[in-house]
Amino acid sequence: MSYYLEPNKDYRTDSLRKGVEFSQEEIRTDTAKHYDDCYWDYRTAWFDNENLALHYGYWDADTKTHSQALLNKNRILCEIAGIEPGQRVLDAGCGIGGSSIWLAKNVGCRAVGITVSAQQVAHAQRNAQRHGVADKVEFQVADFCQTPFPDESFDVVWAIESSCYAIDKRDFFNEAYRLLKKGGTLIACDGYATRREFNAEEWQAIMDCLNGWAVPNLSSAEEFQAGMEECGFTEVHVTEATQEALPSSRRMYLTALWTYPMQVVMQALGLRKKAQTANFKVALAQWKVFNGGLARYYIFRAKKPL
């Protein structure tokens, strides 16, 4: 039996809450619940006080540690985007503030981070205080497909592994286009499906990822670029970074294997929230998706015409 993953549809089959309708609004709620309920899992197994990162990172020849890879992702995206001191950056899907804080400290940008989680905003504000950049960054709860900001108020829109949460990625592109100044830059990265047809085993891995991370679907790289161009962006530049992401993907997978006995016992005792168990399944499934060639990792940079 074959399964098909088409664009602009919500393929999730399991919500983190009972009896809810699947909608863009409910995706926002489930996304916030995932990150809120799994905060301490990420805190102990993934990020530290320096990188504050909830993404795959970027491993190159000079990268020695996981933490370095997470910080390195900021540098790579900054270089590709050509971000300059003094520019105003919208961190669309800012998590706990890692990229916004890095941009303020290392580039001299003024960053505004938005997330659907009020708890993440509180974490990000505390992190900015601790890093001494509270006067250069701000954080608020907002949907990156419908923000409260005026037209042409940012030089850069930055999205690390967040645009996947839009059912129709063009909703995000249209809002980014509205927010950018003429000549402004959109920089985004994520995993993208390599094909649309899957067998039963492959589909289960895909669904574990979508359900576990509250992601509605996976775009292909070709669809993502076409969506950008349809919404008015030009000079689209695509950089593949699959090999640079795989070490983090493998680390996530091995961490899940190492903690499997603990997961089983704690789940049986009722000590793991649904989001945490779903996140454990994702850690196993995402390695199958990337290592099996079902998805590849890309960085996109596009321009709003002058």
Side-chain angles (χ1 to χ4, degrees):
M1 184 175 181
S2 296
Y3 297 83
Y4 295 89
L5 185 68
E6 299 178 17
N8 309 327
K9 293 184 178 182
D10 187 356
Y11 280 89
R12 295 175 303 143
T13 56
D14 191 18
S15 172
L16 292 177
R17 293 154 300 123
K18 294 181 179 179
V20 300
E21 296 292 331
F22 287 98
S23 66
Q24 186 70 62
E25 181 178 353
E26 295 300 341
I27 289 176
R28 291 194 294 268
T29 304
D30 266 357
T31 302
K33 185 169 179 58
H34 165 80
Y35 285 106
D36 293 346
D37 287 356
C38 296
Y39 173 80
W40 285 105
D41 287 0
Y42 285 118
R43 181 67 183 86
T44 56
W46 201 254
F47 71 85
D48 61 31
N49 287 332
E50 183 64 23
N51 58 64
L52 302 168
L54 300 171
H55 54 69
Y56 277 100
Y58 189 98
W59 292 79
D60 58 19
D62 298 323
T63 308
K64 305 300 182 185
T65 68
H66 172 66
S67 183
Q68 287 176 359
L70 299 181
L71 288 169
N72 202 31
K73 183 66 147 292
N74 293 317
R75 180 183 63 81
I76 294 296
L77 264 63
C78 187
E79 290 176 357
I80 292 174
I83 300 176
E84 299 177 355
Q87 289 188 320
R88 192 165 188 244
V89 179
L90 177 66
D91 187 356
C94 66
I96 55 175
S99 290
S100 294
I101 291 167
W102 186 92
L103 287 164
K105 288 179 66 175
N106 294 275
V107 186
C109 295
R110 303 194 69 84
V112 178
I114 57 174
T115 169
V116 295
S117 165
Q119 288 188 33
Q120 285 193 330
V121 167
H123 285 304
Q125 290 170 338
R126 287 192 294 269
N127 291 331
Q129 287 280 357
R130 190 174 67 252
H131 281 266
V133 293
D135 59 329
K136 297 177 182 176
V137 298
E138 59 180 280
F139 300 98
Q140 60 182 280
V141 176
D143 178 357
F144 57 51
C145 291
Q146 191 175 8
T147 71
F149 309 115
D151 294 354
E152 300 187 4
S153 52
F154 293 93
D155 300 287
V156 178
V157 173
W158 168 291
I160 293 187
E161 297 173 21
S162 57
S163 60
C164 55
Y165 287 100
I167 294 178
D168 188 334
K169 311 308 181 253
R170 292 170 297 186
D171 293 338
F172 168 62
F173 299 147
N174 279 323
E175 182 68 352
Y177 192 91
R178 181 185 73 81
L179 293 173
L180 283 170
K181 299 174 184 177
K182 292 180 176 62
T185 301
L186 170 61
I187 184 84
C189 61
D190 218 322
Y192 299 87
T194 57
R195 49 188 164 92
R196 284 299 173 198
E197 184 177 354
F198 305 93
N199 63 33
E201 182 180 358
E202 294 168 339
W203 185 251
Q204 185 60 58
I206 295 286
M207 290 307 301
D208 281 346
C209 289
L210 299 185
N211 284 322
W213 279 331
V215 172
N217 57 56
L218 285 179
S219 175
S220 71
E222 295 78 11
E223 291 160 357
F224 201 76
Q225 179 171 348
M228 284 181 161
E229 293 170 344
E230 181 181 336
C231 294
F233 286 98
T234 60
E235 301 179 47
V236 179
H237 178 271
V238 186
T239 303
E240 183 170 356
T242 307
Q243 293 304 311
E244 291 78 7
L246 275 177
S248 289
S249 177
R250 184 172 183 271
R251 182 184 190 276
M252 193 184 301
Y253 173 74
L254 291 176
T255 299
L257 290 182
W258 293 333
T259 58
Y260 179 77
M262 185 185 302
Q263 164 68 28
V264 171
V265 171
M266 293 182 70
Q267 184 178 352
L269 294 174
L271 300 177
R272 295 284 284 173
K273 297 177 180 178
K274 184 175 182 179
Q276 292 175 304
T277 296
N279 198 36
F280 174 82
K281 292 180 180 179
V282 172
L284 298 173
Q286 57 80 39
W287 173 247
K288 297 179 183 178
V289 169
F290 278 116
N291 192 51
L294 308 183
R296 302 190 72 79
Y297 200 101
Y298 293 96
I299 301 168
F300 287 82
R301 186 212 65 206
K303 290 284 187 177
K304 180 175 180 176
L306 290 169

mmCIF file of all heavy atoms in Angstrom, residues 72-102:
data_model
loop_
_atom_site.group_PDB
_atom_site.id
_atom_site.type_symbol
_atom_site.label_atom_id
_atom_site.label_comp_id
_atom_site.label_asym_id
_atom_site.label_seq_id
_atom_site.Cartn_x
_atom_site.Cartn_y
_atom_site.Cartn_z
ATOM 1 N N ASN A 72 27.109 27.287 15.501
ATOM 2 C CA ASN A 72 27.603 27.443 14.140
ATOM 3 C C ASN A 72 26.471 27.705 13.145
ATOM 4 O O ASN A 72 26.649 28.398 12.139
ATOM 5 C CB ASN A 72 28.366 26.179 13.724
ATOM 6 C CG ASN A 72 29.339 26.424 12.597
ATOM 7 O OD1 ASN A 72 29.897 27.512 12.467
ATOM 8 N ND2 ASN A 72 29.557 25.421 11.775
ATOM 9 N N LYS A 73 25.296 27.162 13.446
ATOM 10 C CA LYS A 73 24.147 27.369 12.558
ATOM 11 C C LYS A 73 23.826 28.858 12.430
ATOM 12 O O LYS A 73 23.512 29.344 11.329
ATOM 13 C CB LYS A 73 22.946 26.604 13.116
ATOM 14 C CG LYS A 73 21.698 26.673 12.254
ATOM 15 C CD LYS A 73 21.931 25.955 10.941
ATOM 16 C CE LYS A 73 20.681 25.305 10.419
ATOM 17 N NZ LYS A 73 20.217 24.187 11.227
ATOM 18 N N ASN A 74 23.906 29.583 13.533
ATOM 19 C CA ASN A 74 23.665 31.025 13.487
ATOM 20 C C ASN A 74 24.664 31.714 12.567
ATOM 21 O O ASN A 74 24.297 32.569 11.750
ATOM 22 C CB ASN A 74 23.759 31.630 14.891
ATOM 23 C CG ASN A 74 22.655 31.161 15.805
ATOM 24 O OD1 ASN A 74 21.496 31.087 15.417
ATOM 25 N ND2 ASN A 74 23.014 30.832 17.037
ATOM 26 N N ARG A 75 25.928 31.347 12.691
ATOM 27 C CA ARG A 75 26.966 31.974 11.873
ATOM 28 C C ARG A 75 26.759 31.706 10.398
ATOM 29 O O ARG A 75 26.858 32.631 9.568
ATOM 30 C CB ARG A 75 28.346 31.466 12.313
ATOM 31 C CG ARG A 75 29.503 32.065 11.520
ATOM 32 C CD ARG A 75 30.836 31.469 11.939
ATOM 33 N NE ARG A 75 30.927 30.045 11.671
ATOM 34 C CZ ARG A 75 31.223 29.524 10.474
ATOM 35 N NH1 ARG A 75 31.431 30.328 9.433
ATOM 36 N NH2 ARG A 75 31.320 28.217 10.326
ATOM 37 N N ILE A 76 26.448 30.467 10.055
ATOM 38 C CA ILE A 76 26.252 30.097 8.655
ATOM 39 C C ILE A 76 25.071 30.854 8.053
ATOM 40 O O ILE A 76 25.168 31.429 6.954
ATOM 41 C CB ILE A 76 26.039 28.577 8.526
ATOM 42 C CG1 ILE A 76 27.311 27.816 8.912
ATOM 43 C CG2 ILE A 76 25.590 28.210 7.120
ATOM 44 C CD1 ILE A 76 28.500 28.085 8.004
ATOM 45 N N LEU A 77 23.943 30.875 8.754
ATOM 46 C CA LEU A 77 22.771 31.575 8.234
ATOM 47 C C LEU A 77 23.028 33.071 8.128
ATOM 48 O O LEU A 77 22.592 33.721 7.165
ATOM 49 C CB LEU A 77 21.556 31.307 9.122
ATOM 50 C CG LEU A 77 20.638 30.169 8.649
ATOM 51 C CD1 LEU A 77 21.373 28.836 8.655
ATOM 52 C CD2 LEU A 77 19.375 30.091 9.496
ATOM 53 N N CYS A 78 23.741 33.605 9.105
ATOM 54 C CA CYS A 78 24.063 35.034 9.074
ATOM 55 C C CYS A 78 24.912 35.379 7.856
ATOM 56 O O CYS A 78 24.684 36.386 7.177
ATOM 57 C CB CYS A 78 24.785 35.414 10.364
ATOM 58 S SG CYS A 78 25.081 37.183 10.551
ATOM 59 N N GLU A 79 25.894 34.525 7.550
ATOM 60 C CA GLU A 79 26.757 34.759 6.392
ATOM 61 C C GLU A 79 25.978 34.639 5.086
ATOM 62 O O GLU A 79 26.135 35.467 4.176
ATOM 63 C CB GLU A 79 27.922 33.770 6.407
ATOM 64 C CG GLU A 79 28.935 34.033 7.512
ATOM 65 C CD GLU A 79 30.032 32.979 7.553
ATOM 66 O OE1 GLU A 79 29.965 32.008 6.759
ATOM 67 O OE2 GLU A 79 30.955 33.121 8.384
ATOM 68 N N ILE A 80 25.137 33.613 4.978
ATOM 69 C CA ILE A 80 24.360 33.435 3.751
ATOM 70 C C ILE A 80 23.392 34.595 3.547
ATOM 71 O O ILE A 80 23.202 35.077 2.426
ATOM 72 C CB ILE A 80 23.604 32.091 3.795
ATOM 73 C CG1 ILE A 80 24.602 30.919 3.719
ATOM 74 C CG2 ILE A 80 22.594 31.990 2.648
ATOM 75 C CD1 ILE A 80 23.968 29.554 3.900
ATOM 76 N N ALA A 81 22.792 35.059 4.630
ATOM 77 C CA ALA A 81 21.829 36.157 4.538
ATOM 78 C C ALA A 81 22.504 37.510 4.350
ATOM 79 O O ALA A 81 21.862 38.465 3.916
ATOM 80 C CB ALA A 81 20.949 36.186 5.787
ATOM 81 N N GLY A 82 23.796 37.596 4.689
ATOM 82 C CA GLY A 82 24.492 38.882 4.579
ATOM 83 C C GLY A 82 24.009 39.897 5.590
ATOM 84 O O GLY A 82 23.904 41.102 5.295
ATOM 85 N N ILE A 83 23.718 39.452 6.807
ATOM 86 C CA ILE A 83 23.188 40.347 7.843
ATOM 87 C C ILE A 83 24.278 41.283 8.345
ATOM 88 O O ILE A 83 25.425 40.868 8.569
ATOM 89 C CB ILE A 83 22.599 39.523 9.002
ATOM 90 C CG1 ILE A 83 21.465 38.632 8.464
ATOM 91 C CG2 ILE A 83 22.075 40.431 10.110
ATOM 92 C CD1 ILE A 83 20.879 37.694 9.499
ATOM 93 N N GLU A 84 23.930 42.545 8.533
ATOM 94 C CA GLU A 84 24.883 43.581 8.927
ATOM 95 C C GLU A 84 24.502 44.209 10.256
ATOM 96 O O GLU A 84 23.329 44.169 10.665
ATOM 97 C CB GLU A 84 24.949 44.658 7.838
ATOM 98 C CG GLU A 84 25.413 44.144 6.485
ATOM 99 C CD GLU A 84 25.406 45.218 5.417
ATOM 100 O OE1 GLU A 84 24.939 46.348 5.723
ATOM 101 O OE2 GLU A 84 25.849 44.940 4.290
ATOM 102 N N PRO A 85 25.490 44.794 10.958
ATOM 103 C CA PRO A 85 25.206 45.463 12.227
ATOM 104 C C PRO A 85 24.140 46.549 12.057
ATOM 105 O O PRO A 85 24.084 47.230 11.037
ATOM 106 C CB PRO A 85 26.552 46.087 12.609
ATOM 107 C CG PRO A 85 27.576 45.246 11.908
ATOM 108 C CD PRO A 85 26.941 44.841 10.615
ATOM 109 N N GLY A 86 23.285 46.670 13.061
ATOM 110 C CA GLY A 86 22.264 47.706 13.041
ATOM 111 C C GLY A 86 20.974 47.313 12.349
ATOM 112 O O GLY A 86 19.968 48.016 12.467
ATOM 113 N N GLN A 87 20.971 46.191 11.620
ATOM 114 C CA GLN A 87 19.751 45.783 10.951
ATOM 115 C C GLN A 87 18.733 45.249 11.963
ATOM 116 O O GLN A 87 19.087 44.758 13.034
ATOM 117 C CB GLN A 87 20.042 44.717 9.897
ATOM 118 C CG GLN A 87 20.772 45.257 8.671
ATOM 119 C CD GLN A 87 20.885 44.234 7.557
ATOM 120 O OE1 GLN A 87 21.131 43.057 7.809
ATOM 121 N NE2 GLN A 87 20.707 44.675 6.322
ATOM 122 N N ARG A 88 17.465 45.350 11.590
ATOM 123 C CA ARG A 88 16.381 44.849 12.439
ATOM 124 C C ARG A 88 15.928 43.507 11.890
ATOM 125 O O ARG A 88 15.549 43.398 10.725
ATOM 126 C CB ARG A 88 15.226 45.846 12.469
ATOM 127 C CG ARG A 88 14.179 45.551 13.550
ATOM 128 C CD ARG A 88 13.271 46.748 13.769
ATOM 129 N NE ARG A 88 12.394 46.541 14.915
ATOM 130 C CZ ARG A 88 11.081 46.473 14.837
ATOM 131 N NH1 ARG A 88 10.467 46.595 13.664
ATOM 132 N NH2 ARG A 88 10.347 46.291 15.921
ATOM 133 N N VAL A 89 15.974 42.493 12.746
ATOM 134 C CA VAL A 89 15.704 41.118 12.338
ATOM 135 C C VAL A 89 14.477 40.597 13.070
ATOM 136 O O VAL A 89 14.371 40.730 14.293
ATOM 137 C CB VAL A 89 16.903 40.203 12.650
ATOM 138 C CG1 VAL A 89 16.610 38.760 12.240
ATOM 139 C CG2 VAL A 89 18.162 40.712 11.956
ATOM 140 N N LEU A 90 13.551 39.976 12.320
ATOM 141 C CA LEU A 90 12.439 39.254 12.935
ATOM 142 C C LEU A 90 12.825 37.789 13.018
ATOM 143 O O LEU A 90 13.024 37.123 12.001
ATOM 144 C CB LEU A 90 11.163 39.404 12.116
ATOM 145 C CG LEU A 90 9.964 38.599 12.666
ATOM 146 C CD1 LEU A 90 9.524 39.145 14.020
ATOM 147 C CD2 LEU A 90 8.804 38.575 11.682
ATOM 148 N N ASP A 91 12.943 37.275 14.233
ATOM 149 C CA ASP A 91 13.233 35.862 14.478
ATOM 150 C C ASP A 91 11.889 35.146 14.568
ATOM 151 O O ASP A 91 11.247 35.124 15.623
ATOM 152 C CB ASP A 91 14.042 35.735 15.768
ATOM 153 C CG ASP A 91 14.545 34.329 16.025
ATOM 154 O OD1 ASP A 91 14.205 33.419 15.246
ATOM 155 O OD2 ASP A 91 15.281 34.146 17.017
ATOM 156 N N ALA A 92 11.448 34.588 13.443
ATOM 157 C CA ALA A 92 10.104 34.017 13.324
ATOM 158 C C ALA A 92 10.106 32.575 13.809
ATOM 159 O O ALA A 92 10.525 31.670 13.098
ATOM 160 C CB ALA A 92 9.638 34.095 11.871
ATOM 161 N N GLY A 93 9.615 32.373 15.023
ATOM 162 C CA GLY A 93 9.714 31.078 15.674
ATOM 163 C C GLY A 93 10.982 31.037 16.484
ATOM 164 O O GLY A 93 11.867 30.203 16.269
ATOM 165 N N CYS A 94 11.085 31.948 17.457
ATOM 166 C CA CYS A 94 12.357 32.218 18.140
ATOM 167 C C CYS A 94 12.702 31.228 19.230
ATOM 168 O O CYS A 94 13.817 31.266 19.770
ATOM 169 C CB CYS A 94 12.325 33.627 18.730
ATOM 170 S SG CYS A 94 11.101 33.838 20.060
ATOM 171 N N GLY A 95 11.765 30.352 19.610
ATOM 172 C CA GLY A 95 12.068 29.431 20.692
ATOM 173 C C GLY A 95 12.383 30.166 21.976
ATOM 174 O O GLY A 95 11.661 31.080 22.389
ATOM 175 N N ILE A 96 13.487 29.803 22.604
ATOM 176 C CA ILE A 96 13.867 30.424 23.874
ATOM 177 C C ILE A 96 14.893 31.534 23.662
ATOM 178 O O ILE A 96 15.603 31.920 24.589
ATOM 179 C CB ILE A 96 14.391 29.371 24.867
ATOM 180 C CG1 ILE A 96 15.544 28.560 24.268
ATOM 181 C CG2 ILE A 96 13.257 28.441 25.290
ATOM 182 C CD1 ILE A 96 16.181 27.593 25.250
ATOM 183 N N GLY A 97 14.978 32.038 22.429
ATOM 184 C CA GLY A 97 15.738 33.256 22.165
ATOM 185 C C GLY A 97 17.145 33.093 21.660
ATOM 186 O O GLY A 97 17.853 34.094 21.488
ATOM 187 N N GLY A 98 17.592 31.869 21.384
ATOM 188 C CA GLY A 98 18.991 31.638 21.051
ATOM 189 C C GLY A 98 19.520 32.452 19.887
ATOM 190 O O GLY A 98 20.554 33.112 19.996
ATOM 191 N N SER A 99 18.825 32.432 18.743
ATOM 192 C CA SER A 99 19.322 33.144 17.562
ATOM 193 C C SER A 99 19.255 34.648 17.746
ATOM 194 O O SER A 99 20.179 35.373 17.358
ATOM 195 C CB SER A 99 18.518 32.732 16.320
ATOM 196 O OG SER A 99 18.801 31.403 15.957
ATOM 197 N N SER A 100 18.165 35.158 18.330
ATOM 198 C CA SER A 100 18.039 36.600 18.556
ATOM 199 C C SER A 100 19.176 37.112 19.430
ATOM 200 O O SER A 100 19.785 38.155 19.151
ATOM 201 C CB SER A 100 16.693 36.912 19.218
ATOM 202 O OG SER A 100 15.618 36.632 18.365
ATOM 203 N N ILE A 101 19.468 36.363 20.488
ATOM 204 C CA ILE A 101 20.533 36.757 21.411
ATOM 205 C C ILE A 101 21.886 36.682 20.707
ATOM 206 O O ILE A 101 22.718 37.585 20.847
ATOM 207 C CB ILE A 101 20.492 35.861 22.666
ATOM 208 C CG1 ILE A 101 19.230 36.182 23.482
ATOM 209 C CG2 ILE A 101 21.754 36.038 23.509
ATOM 210 C CD1 ILE A 101 18.919 35.173 24.567
ATOM 211 N N TRP A 102 22.125 35.643 19.925
ATOM 212 C CA TRP A 102 23.384 35.510 19.193
ATOM 213 C C TRP A 102 23.566 36.668 18.215
ATOM 214 O O TRP A 102 24.668 37.241 18.121
ATOM 215 C CB TRP A 102 23.425 34.185 18.448
ATOM 216 C CG TRP A 102 24.745 33.895 17.791
ATOM 217 C CD1 TRP A 102 25.806 33.198 18.329
ATOM 218 C CD2 TRP A 102 25.172 34.315 16.484
ATOM 219 N NE1 TRP A 102 26.851 33.161 17.452
ATOM 220 C CE2 TRP A 102 26.492 33.832 16.303
ATOM 221 C CE3 TRP A 102 24.578 35.037 15.473
ATOM 222 C CZ2 TRP A 102 27.222 34.070 15.136
ATOM 223 C CZ3 TRP A 102 25.298 35.282 14.302
ATOM 224 C CH2 TRP A 102 26.597 34.791 14.138
#
